[in-house]
Structure formats: C-alpha cells, structure tokens
C-alpha cells in the first residue's frame, strides 16, 4: 500500500521540514504510532507541576499528520488515564486516535490504594472497554517493571498484572505489554497465561536477542521506539525482529532518538520541526526540545528501514532533497 503524506501542511511554517516532507515525499505505507502518552501534562504546557506554556496538543497532532502518522493509540496507565484518554478522543474527533485500558506496573498499587476495592476497580476497566468498542483497542499498559520497585513492590505488580488477563477474556482485546528487568518472571507469566489472550505487543523493547526470540516464539509482537535504538547492540536486536512481528511507536513525550544514540546516523529527517530549547521559551507552532511527539515516528521508521534494508519512501527520500 502506498500513501502520500499530506497532513495539515497549511498550518506549518514555510521553512518547516514537515512541509516539504508531506508535500514532496511518498511513504511506502501509512504509519501508526501504537503508543503515545498524549494525556501527559506536557501537552497541556505543564512541566514538574508548573505551567510553562499554553496547551498545544492540536499543533502536536497536526505535525504528526503532516509527517505521515495515520493513526495514534493513546497509552493509558491507570483508570484516571483511561477516562482522560476517552475525553481526549472525544475532543479531537477529526483525528484517528484510539486508546488502551489498563494499569501500568508502577501504578498497580492503585487497585487498592485509598480504600479502593480492587474488584470494583477492575470491573470499571472492563466496563469502559466494553462501552467504548472501536475506540478502546488494547489492554494495557500492563506488565512488570522491577527497575522501579520504589513505586510499586514486586508482589503487587505480579498480582495485578495477572488480574488484567481477565479484561482480555471479557473483551477479546489484545495486550499492550511492559517488561523491565524482570529476570524471566514476565516471560513465565506470559507463558502460563498465553491461552487467555490473543495478540499482544511488548512495547518499548530494549532486551536481548534471546528475549526477543522467546517473545516472538510465543506469537507476540515487538514494539520499537527511540529507547529501543540507543546502542549498537539494540540495533542488532531490532534488525533481527521479523518484519511481520514488528510494530513502531514513539512513547511520546519520552523516548525520542537523540544525537548520542547509535540510531541517529540513520535518521534522514533530523530537523523534523522547529523546537524551542526550554518549555518557558515556547512559541506557538513550535515543539519543545526533549518532549517527544508522534511526528517523530517517521524517524523510528527511517532507522528500521535502514538497518533492515527496507523501502520507506517510494520517491524521493528527504535525504535526497
């Protein structure tokens, strides 16, 4: 399938690379960002509990469309995130956006925090998924994160990760999975519960070749973003992911590709859109350095196309312009 990247070019500055990208270059296929945290306060101009600039999510979405991003799945990490995501989708019906339903491992304690009834919390997640079919497209972000046990202990993470398979059974939805430094525990739980869900993707994957192969053997997809492409070893693993098991994401506002990363040399659109250096220097129509956006999904695609020898642009590429 071939698609012309024709986003909201009229809203972009004349010298913006996005204008040239969406006007002059044909993508070999449409891009789908399978994971962007668009409910994060940074898109409302808030950084570390201080408002630095006006909300600019609409401009962020326009840049994404201009860069050829056809659809975005908004990542939810708790019940409040799910509700906020659904409100965001309703407020921007002109954009093709979807959301997940689930609880991030570092926030698994919310199931029973502040007097919450874990059963009622889980039932509400199921209810939202069933009430918003067509908009809720996955269960997650759920899984295990043993790198950040200061936010939620190991036992609580495991207990409520296993409970979220019940949402899959009730809805038939695939899983959007998180795995960090679990020493095989994550793989053991997935293997034991593999019959309880259909498809699934392990997002922001930065593990070893052996981990990747084990997950693919279980029929899972591998999600790749800038954090998956930092080192030469990361690139070797990413290049080995079978194309039919590969998905791409930004994990915005985090996980951008940086000049210190091994992947940077493969990026063709290095100055994709204008940015200010600090949030309090924000100007309308510009991004913020260090705050990732779905528009940079094209950079992830460029890196993967380069290391796997695949065609991304049918004619011409930005580097040729």
């Amino acid at each position: 399938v071939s698609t012309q990247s024709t986003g909201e070019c009229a809203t972009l500055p004349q010298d913006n690379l996005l204008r040239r990208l969406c006007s002059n270059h044909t993508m070999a296929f449409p891009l789908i960002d399978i994971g962007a945290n668009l409910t994060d306060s940074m898109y409302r101009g808030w950084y570390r509990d201080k408002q630095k600039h006006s909300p600019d999510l609409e401009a962020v979405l326009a840049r994404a469309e201009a860069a050829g991003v056809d659809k975005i799945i908004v990542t939810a990490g708790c019940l409040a995130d799910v509700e906020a995501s659904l409100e965001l989708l309703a407020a921007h019906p002109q954009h093709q956006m979807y959301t997940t339903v689930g609880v991030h491992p570092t926030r698994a304690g919310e199931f029973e925090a502040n007097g919450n009834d874990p059963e009622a919390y889980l039932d509400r997640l199921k209810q939202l998924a069933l009430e918003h079919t067509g908009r809720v497209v996955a269960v997650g972000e759920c899984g295990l994160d043993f790198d950040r046990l200061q936010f939620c202990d190991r036992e609580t993470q495991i207990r409520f990760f296993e409970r979220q398979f019940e949402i899959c059974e009730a809805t038939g939805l695939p899983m959007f999975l998180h795995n960090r430094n679990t020493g095989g525990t994550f793989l053991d739980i997935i293997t034991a519960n593999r019959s309880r869900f259909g498809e699934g993707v392990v997002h922001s994957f930065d593990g070893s070749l052996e981990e990747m192969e084990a997950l693919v053997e279980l029929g899972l997809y591998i999600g790749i973003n800038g954090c998956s492409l930092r080192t030469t070893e990361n690139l070797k693993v990413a290049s080995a992911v079978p194309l039919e098991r590969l998905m791409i994401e930004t994990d915005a506002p985090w996980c951008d590709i940086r000049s210190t990363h091994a992947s940077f040399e493969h990026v063709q659109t290095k100055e994709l859109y204008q940015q200010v250096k600090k949030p309090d220097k924000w100007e309308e129509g510009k991004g913020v350095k260090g705050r990732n956006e779905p528009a940079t999904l094209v950079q992830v695609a460029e890196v993967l196309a380069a290391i796997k020898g695949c065609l991304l642009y049918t004619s011409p590429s930005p580097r040729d312009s």
Side-chain angles (χ1 to χ4, degrees):
V1 178
S2 176
T3 182
Q4 180 72 32
S5 297
T6 53
E8 299 295 329
C9 296
T11 67
L12 300 172
Q14 290 292 331
D15 62 345
N16 198 298
L17 176 57
L18 278 177
R19 172 175 287 279
R20 289 181 279 126
L21 179 66
C22 68
S23 299
N24 302 326
H25 308 293
T26 302
M27 304 288 288
F29 42 78
L31 300 177
I32 300 172
D33 189 347
I34 67 159
N37 301 277
L38 296 185
T39 62
D40 190 86
S41 63
M42 281 188 258
Y43 299 116
R44 300 192 300 276
W46 286 81
Y47 300 75
R48 297 182 180 179
D49 298 323
K50 293 183 179 180
Q51 186 157 21
K52 301 291 187 177
H53 61 77
S54 301
D56 64 341
L57 181 60
E58 188 55 47
V60 169
L61 295 174
R63 286 192 284 270
E65 289 189 0
V69 180
D70 189 51
K71 297 179 178 69
I72 300 171
I73 300 175
V74 180
T75 305
C78 66
L79 181 54
D81 276 1
V82 177
E83 294 169 340
S85 293
L86 290 169
E87 290 178 7
L88 185 152
L89 269 54
H92 299 275
Q94 70 274 32
H95 300 288
Q96 295 193 73
M97 294 193 293
Y98 308 86
T99 189
T100 66
V101 163
V103 179
H104 191 281
T106 61
R107 299 164 84 173
E110 290 194 20
F111 274 95
E112 51 191 359
N114 302 316
N116 285 339
D117 176 0
E119 298 303 323
Y121 195 105
L122 186 66
D123 286 345
R124 181 58 178 156
L125 292 171
K126 292 178 188 175
Q127 181 184 13
L128 287 172
L130 292 168
E131 287 178 352
H132 297 276
T133 56
R135 285 298 185 182
V136 175
V137 295
V139 174
E141 176 181 357
C142 58
L144 299 175
D145 190 324
F146 294 169
D147 269 342
R148 292 180 283 179
L149 293 174
Q150 69 271 29
F151 297 114
C152 185
D153 65 84
R154 187 183 308 244
E155 292 73 22
T156 301
Q157 287 190 33
I158 292 172
R159 181 155 47 99
F160 289 113
F161 176 29
E162 292 179 325
R163 291 302 304 274
Q164 290 181 78
F165 291 109
E166 296 176 31
I167 308 176
C168 297
E169 292 173 320
T171 63
L173 289 170
M175 301 196 80
F176 187 75
L177 296 160
H178 179 106
N179 177 34
R180 283 287 178 276
N181 191 29
T182 60
T185 303
F186 173 84
L187 188 62
D188 289 344
I189 291 174
I190 287 292
T191 301
N193 292 278
R194 190 63 187 90
S195 63
R196 302 178 68 187
F197 69 101
E199 304 288 5
V201 56
V202 181
H203 103 105
S204 195
F205 183 81
D206 64 354
S208 68
L209 178 64
E210 292 74 22
E211 284 182 272
M212 182 273 290
E213 291 174 339
L215 294 168
V216 168
E217 183 67 24
L218 285 170
L220 299 180
Y221 291 85
I222 305 296
I224 299 293
N225 58 37
C227 290
S228 311
L229 302 167
R230 289 171 171 160
T231 68
T232 301
E233 184 61 29
N234 288 156
L235 295 182
K236 290 179 181 178
V237 175
S239 68
V241 179
L243 271 177
E244 66 274 12
R245 287 288 146 188
L246 181 65
M247 291 186 173
I248 58 175
E249 56 177 290
T250 58
D251 204 25
W254 306 287
C255 288
D256 51 328
I257 294 176
R258 302 188 176 185
S259 59
T260 55
H261 293 177
S263 55
F264 188 71
E265 66 175 304
H266 300 296
V267 174
Q268 300 184 44
T269 53
K270 287 185 168 68
E271 297 179 4
L272 190 57
Y273 51 86
Q274 294 180 328
Q275 299 181 11
V276 297
K277 291 185 177 180
K278 296 181 178 180
D280 54 7
K281 302 295 184 182
W282 177 83
E283 298 176 28
E284 189 171 353
K286 295 184 179 180
V288 178
K289 186 176 182 180
R291 183 192 69 172
N292 199 12
E293 298 186 9
T296 67
L297 188 67
V298 67
Q299 297 178 338
V300 177
E302 286 171 346
V303 173
L304 289 169
I307 64 177
K308 293 185 76 66
C310 299
L311 178 70
L312 180 61
Y313 299 102
T314 55
S315 66
S317 77
R319 184 169 284 168
D320 296 331
S321 300

